[in-house]
């Protein structure tokens, strides 16, 4: 898996868009960018993944730069329940023999 | 569609005992992976099962074992428990195995405390 770098923490006001950056400058051409989050004391939750094009689902949008060296996860209207640790992973589709590995992620705190 | 379920949610055991944890994947998912999560080590991969066969294994001692049944439900067993086995044990299911889309859907976990 390519190394990813995320800010350790971020704040966002409730109702505003939360933009979480991730740097993956050594990503290879066939590695996808995956985002998961983990709310305190719960299991991790899959959010979204993408290869080159921007992706959107009911939870979030993923914007990947043209050179694929970085990406941004956007939560369009953050709520208090979005407070969690967000993990960005660069990984081959289908993964490998060693399962998922999370780094330290970004602790997103939504302020009322 | 129901999510991944794990039982029990909380467990307290003493050193030397053994424990069995259960996981029911999302209906239609055939792959089940197990992870151990601790504050110090983060998320660590234990093993993955697909079609009742262990396909991949992480770097854990043989005290950690698992199995998968024909209905894709899975169990993991830890024998001769040690204090360091205290952790959140997570089960994740996915539709395919490795070559296919790899979003994994996690259960709530079993919090194991070894005293």
């Amino acid at each position: 898996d390519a190394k990813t770098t995320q800010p350790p923490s971020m704040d966002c006001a409730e109702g505003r868009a939360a933009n979480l950056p991730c740097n993956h400058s050594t990503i290879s051409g066939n590695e996808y960018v995956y985002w998961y989050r983990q709310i305190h004391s719960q299991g991790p939750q899959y959010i979204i993944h993408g290869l080159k094009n921007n992706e959107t689902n009911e939870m979030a949008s993923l914007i990947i730069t043209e050179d694929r060296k970085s990406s941004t996860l956007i939560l369009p209207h953050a709520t208090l329940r979005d407070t969690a640790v967000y993990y960005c992973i660069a990984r081959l589709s289908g993964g490998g023999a060693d399962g998922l590995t999370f780094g330290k992620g970004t602790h997103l705190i939504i302020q009322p | 569609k129901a999510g991944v379920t794990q039982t029990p949610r909380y467990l307290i055991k003493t050193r030397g005992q053994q424990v069995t944890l259960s996981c029911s994947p999302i209906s239609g998912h055939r792959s089940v992976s197990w992870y151990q999560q601790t504050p110090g080590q983060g998320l660590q991969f234990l093993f993955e099962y697909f079609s009742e066969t262990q396909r991949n294994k992480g770097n854990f001692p043989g005290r950690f074992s698992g199995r998968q049944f024909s209905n894709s439900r899975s169990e993991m067993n830890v024998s001769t428990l040690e204090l360091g086995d205290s952790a959140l044990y997570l089960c994740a299911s996915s539709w395919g195995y490795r070559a296919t889309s790899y979003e994994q859907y996690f259960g709530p976990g079993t919090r194991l405390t070894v005293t």
Side-chain angles (χ1 to χ4, degrees), chain B residues 9-31:
Chain B
R9 292 292 311 279
Y10 302 92
L11 206 48
I12 299 175
K13 292 284 190 179
T14 56
R15 278 180 297 174
Q17 288 186 311
Q18 75 166 22
V19 66
T20 299
L21 312 181
S22 180
C23 171
S24 292
I26 290 172
S27 177
H29 284 193
R30 298 170 62 191
S31 171

Side-chain angles (χ1 to χ4, degrees), chain B residues 1 24 34-35 83:
Chain B
K1 189 184 271 190
S24 292
W34 287 90
Y35 294 84
L83 294 178

Side-chain angles (χ1 to χ4, degrees), chain A residues 36 38 43-44 46 94 98 100, chain B residues 35 37 45 98 103-104 106:
Chain A
Y36 285 79
Q38 189 167 21
Y46 164 80
D98 55 354
L100 288 174
Chain B
Y35 294 84
Q37 188 174 39
F45 172 71
R98 290 181 63 182
E103 319 77 280
Q104 291 199 314
F106 285 80

Side-chain angles (χ1 to χ4, degrees), chain A residues 6 20 33-49 57-60 73 75 79-89 100 102 106 108, chain B residues 1 3-4 6 26 35 37 43 88 90-93 102-109:
Chain A
Q6 299 176 252
L20 292 92
V33 179
Y34 288 82
W35 283 84
Y36 285 79
R37 73 179 181 183
Q38 189 167 21
I39 296 168
H40 183 60
S41 296
Q42 296 184 21
Q45 179 185 24
Y46 164 80
I47 302 173
I48 198 167
H49 75 283
N57 64 20
E58 64 278 4
M59 286 184 67
L73 177 75
L75 307 178
T79 71
L80 297 178
R81 285 183 289 184
D82 291 322
T83 292
V85 180
Y86 288 76
Y87 299 99
C88 167
I89 306 161
L100 288 174
F102 290 164
T106 296
L108 175 67
Chain B
K1 189 184 271 190
V4 177
Q6 292 187 246
I26 290 172
Y35 294 84
Q37 188 174 39
L43 193 73
L88 181 67
L90 293 158
C91 163
S93 76
Y102 207 67
E103 319 77 280
Q104 291 199 314
Y105 296 87
F106 285 80

Side-chain angles (χ1 to χ4, degrees), chain A residues 24-76:
Chain A
H24 31 79
S25 57
T26 62
I27 195 169
S28 65
N30 53 358
E31 284 183 310
Y32 285 68
V33 179
Y34 288 82
W35 283 84
Y36 285 79
R37 73 179 181 183
Q38 189 167 21
I39 296 168
H40 183 60
S41 296
Q42 296 184 21
Q45 179 185 24
Y46 164 80
I47 302 173
I48 198 167
H49 75 283
L51 182 63
K52 295 181 186 178
N53 301 320
N54 299 336
E55 302 287 345
T56 295
N57 64 20
E58 64 278 4
M59 286 184 67
S61 295
L62 174 61
I63 309 297
I64 302 174
T65 58
E66 193 168 338
D67 63 7
R68 303 208 331 116
K69 292 183 184 300
S70 66
S71 61
T72 301
L73 177 75
I74 301 172
L75 307 178

Side-chain angles (χ1 to χ4, degrees), chain B residues 5-80:
Chain B
T5 58
Q6 292 187 246
T7 56
R9 292 292 311 279
Y10 302 92
L11 206 48
I12 299 175
K13 292 284 190 179
T14 56
R15 278 180 297 174
Q17 288 186 311
Q18 75 166 22
V19 66
T20 299
L21 312 181
S22 180
C23 171
S24 292
I26 290 172
S27 177
H29 284 193
R30 298 170 62 191
S31 171
V32 173
S33 298
W34 287 90
Y35 294 84
Q36 181 195 69
Q37 188 174 39
T38 59
Q41 299 295 322
L43 193 73
Q44 293 187 285
F45 172 71
L46 280 155
F47 28 67
E48 177 186 9
Y49 285 86
F50 185 83
S51 293
E52 301 178 63
T53 302
Q54 187 180 95
R55 304 290 176 152
N56 302 302
K57 190 176 190 304
N59 189 26
F60 277 81
R63 300 185 297 108
F64 293 82
S65 63
R67 59 178 175 169
Q68 186 180 35
F69 302 96
S70 58
N71 61 359
S72 296
R73 191 177 70 84
S74 176
E75 290 180 346
M76 69 162 281
N77 184 276
V78 188
S79 62
T80 319

